[in-house]
Amino acid sequence: MAIVFVLIALLVVAVLVTGNWYVWRRLFRDTTKGPGAVRRAGAAVIVGGWALTVATFVVSRSDAPFRLKQVLAWPGYLWLALALYLLLAVLAGELVRPVLRRILERRARTSQAAEPVPARPEPIPAGQGTGRGPSGPGGPGDATD
């Protein structure tokens, strides 16, 4: 029976570690250019959050003072919920990702095939208008009056 408990505990820890690695990879590694402060900060936030959660579980079962339990409880349990929601959001994003990628690639192909549009319209020299307005047909200087 003890072996079954140890195997289940190892399975739970493996799932938690894999899920958190995946969240870190999607949120920090894939969105940054290279190793740096942002990646280290992301790893510290994830590890620190789980350390708070474990501390909350340990302190809540011990004879620690109530004030310590109270101080550790809200960030520990909050991180537990936040980690679950982050994992679910990243997994939901994985379901939508291929569809969005296909749409964006199609949009890029059609915009490349279209004629490039200048960022600012070119000014029209004076006297070469479109033929509409006061000096064009139907205006005050029109010969059809």
Side-chain angles (χ1 to χ4, degrees), residues 16-143:
L16 282 173
V17 168
T18 304
N20 283 288
W21 172 79
Y22 181 72
V23 167
W24 174 82
R25 190 181 121 209
R26 281 291 179 213
L27 294 181
F28 296 102
R29 194 190 81 180
D30 290 351
T31 59
T32 55
K33 193 171 186 176
V38 175
R39 283 190 186 181
R40 284 191 297 272
V45 164
I46 290 176
V47 169
W50 281 105
L52 271 172
T53 301
V54 170
T56 299
F57 288 152
V58 169
V59 167
S60 69
R61 298 287 181 180
S62 70
D63 281 339
F66 178 72
R67 185 70 179 154
L68 179 62
K69 290 179 183 181
Q70 195 175 22
V71 166
L72 286 177
W74 74 267
Y77 291 130
L78 185 66
W79 177 258
L80 191 62
L82 181 67
L84 176 67
Y85 287 134
L86 276 175
L87 180 61
L88 291 175
V90 170
L91 288 175
E94 285 297 318
L95 295 175
V96 176
R97 192 170 151 210
V99 175
L100 286 176
R101 187 177 184 132
R102 189 172 296 140
I103 290 170
L104 292 175
E105 285 175 355
R106 186 178 300 146
R107 185 182 297 170
R109 278 194 308 258
T110 58
S111 68
Q112 287 174 353
E115 187 176 306
V117 178
R120 286 183 13 188
E122 296 181 21
I124 299 173
Q128 296 181 4
T130 60
R132 296 185 194 125
S135 61
D142 192 12

